[in-house]
Amino acid sequence: MTERSRIEGVEFLLDVLDPCPGTSVLAIDAGSASAVVAEHVGPHGRVRVAPSVTRAHEFAQREKFDRIYALDIPDLREDTAAAAALAPLLTDDGQLWVIDEAGPGEDTGTVSMTVSTVLARAGFVIVDILERGSRVAVWAAAGRRHHG
């Protein structure tokens, strides 16, 4: 990934995540985007970082989050159980955002359908799908909750 692509990815993340001051965020992110998110949620917000979906489950017994984002995490293209295990980490009106990038030979439609299918099979309801350039963001809500 080029530096320009990384910067565009962080800008896209901020646009879709909308991390307002005071928001609690779980960042599943092997990069450094979480530092930028922390600046936006401010001192009354909270950002926790896990480098993988597996490590995110360490928060399951003690914390809930308004937003969870997964940035370029391959597990969420194929692992339904890993995706399902994120639901208990969300607050009642929490949002899960899976942000990924179409690679060589892929198009954004394929990426969005792959991620959406995994999330739907995991019990999430797909609320929206946004695209910018080669980036895709899928917004999902836990299926047991009312979102209107």
Side-chain angles (χ1 to χ4, degrees):
M1 176 183 297
T2 67
E3 180 65 18
R4 178 161 176 75
S5 175
R6 188 190 71 73
I7 291 168
E8 289 172 353
V10 172
E11 289 172 352
F12 185 50
L13 168 67
L14 291 173
D15 287 348
V16 300
L17 192 63
D18 189 25
C20 300
T23 303
S24 60
V25 178
L26 173 58
I28 305 171
D29 180 2
S32 59
S34 59
V36 178
V37 173
E39 291 174 18
H40 285 266
V41 301
H44 300 293
R46 170 172 46 99
V47 175
R48 301 288 188 260
V49 181
S52 67
V53 175
T54 303
R55 296 289 306 271
H57 302 297
E58 294 173 4
F59 296 101
Q61 299 302 316
R62 54 186 199 273
E63 294 186 67
K64 300 244 186 239
F65 300 91
D66 301 317
R67 306 275 192 285
I68 297 174
Y69 79 83
L71 182 62
D72 299 327
I73 304 296
D75 291 352
L76 295 176
R77 285 195 187 198
E78 57 195 39
D79 192 342
T80 301
L86 295 174
L89 297 172
L90 287 167
T91 59
D92 286 342
D93 61 348
Q95 300 175 6
L96 170 62
W97 284 94
V98 177
I99 297 120
D100 210 335
E101 185 170 24
E106 285 184 307
D107 61 45
T108 54
T110 301
V111 174
S112 64
M113 288 305 299
T114 301
V115 171
S116 296
T117 300
V118 168
L119 294 174
R121 288 182 177 156
F124 286 92
V125 173
I126 306 307
V127 178
D128 204 354
I129 299 172
L130 305 169
E131 298 178 0
R132 183 181 299 160
S134 62
R135 285 272 173 196
V136 174
V138 179
W139 170 12
R144 69 183 184 283
R145 298 180 181 125
H146 170 70
H147 292 268

